[in-house]
Amino acid sequence: MSEPSYHPGPRLSRQETAVLVAYLSGLTMVASARRVGVGLGTAKQYLERVKRKYAAGRPAQTKLELARRAVEDGLLPWAEQPSRRAG
């Protein structure tokens, strides 16, 4: 599988990006908020802003869609599935 091409994404603030990346790395919203140093409500607001910004061109409402957009936009590294070898 080839690496996806780069798409310039919406302009995200530093805090929006930090919450998005923390959340997509597998942390809960509570843990993402703690990592960024904001309250849970603020972290949720940042994530909702990110979704609204993506809605203009490439909608991303679910966590999976957000992850796809983040990879396309160069916010997350592309990870290929490890190959499986027989036996």
Side-chain angles (χ1 to χ4, degrees):
M1 185 181 290
S2 64
E3 190 169 321
S5 60
Y6 173 79
H7 297 279
R11 295 178 72 98
L12 303 179
S13 74
R14 189 179 337 186
Q15 292 292 76
E16 289 167 346
T17 301
V19 168
L20 177 63
V21 170
Y23 180 61
L24 295 178
S25 72
L27 296 179
T28 64
M29 281 303 298
V30 171
S32 298
R34 281 191 197 127
R35 172 162 297 168
V36 177
V38 298
L40 176 59
T42 301
K44 287 180 179 181
Q45 287 178 348
Y46 288 152
L47 198 58
E48 285 306 313
R49 281 190 217 161
V50 169
K51 289 177 181 180
R52 281 196 307 270
K53 288 178 179 183
Y54 272 113
R58 295 175 294 139
Q61 291 301 308
T62 67
K63 191 171 188 176
L64 179 58
E65 290 170 338
L66 283 169
R68 285 181 181 151
R69 300 300 175 253
V71 168
E72 290 170 354
D73 296 345
L75 298 173
L76 292 178
W78 176 253
E80 290 188 337
Q81 295 294 325
S83 61
R84 294 193 175 174
R85 295 183 192 172

